């Protein structure tokens, strides 16, 4: 319940960034798993690649990008 409320609030914030700042692109990394993939897609990001053993504990991450309109 709270995670969906948080994601909706975060999505509204990310959507408002282009109105507040002159931003043309957002970029993020996230752990490579189904949960984080769903979150990033919900937020409007597109997966741009896999970062193998990206973290200090050698966990794979994905890099995500979003072009702001």
């Amino acid at each position: 319940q709270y995670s969906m409320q948080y994601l909706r609030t975060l999505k509204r914030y990310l959507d408002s960034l282009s109105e507040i700042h002159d931003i043309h692109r957002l970029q993020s990394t996230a752990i490579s798993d189904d949960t984080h993939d769903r979150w990033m897609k919900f937020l409007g990001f597109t997966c741009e690649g896999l970062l193998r053993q990206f973290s200090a504990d050698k966990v794979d991450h994905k890099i995500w990008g979003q072009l702001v309109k």
Side-chain angles (χ1 to χ4, degrees), residues 1-26:
Q1 175 190 358
Y2 293 114
S3 61
M4 274 310 293
Q5 183 178 355
Y6 170 76
L7 284 174
R8 279 193 225 96
T9 301
L10 180 57
K11 183 166 177 49
R12 280 194 303 272
Y13 172 73
L14 292 175
D15 291 344
S16 73
L17 283 178
S18 64
E19 298 171 11
I20 299 169
H21 303 285
D22 186 23
I23 294 174
H24 70 279
R25 175 182 167 80
L26 298 172

Side-chain angles (χ1 to χ4, degrees), residues 6-65:
Y6 170 76
L7 284 174
R8 279 193 225 96
T9 301
L10 180 57
K11 183 166 177 49
R12 280 194 303 272
Y13 172 73
L14 292 175
D15 291 344
S16 73
L17 283 178
S18 64
E19 298 171 11
I20 299 169
H21 303 285
D22 186 23
I23 294 174
H24 70 279
R25 175 182 167 80
L26 298 172
Q27 182 174 307
S28 182
T29 60
I31 295 170
S32 180
D33 65 16
D34 290 339
T35 300
H36 289 90
D37 289 354
R38 284 193 312 272
W39 289 355
M40 296 304 288
K41 288 176 185 175
F42 174 82
L43 293 172
F45 285 84
T46 301
C47 182
E48 297 181 335
L50 178 66
L51 304 170
R52 296 182 59 195
Q53 298 184 9
F54 180 71
S55 59
D57 56 352
K58 299 182 180 180
V59 173
D60 292 347
H61 283 62
K62 289 182 181 173
I63 188 161
W64 297 83

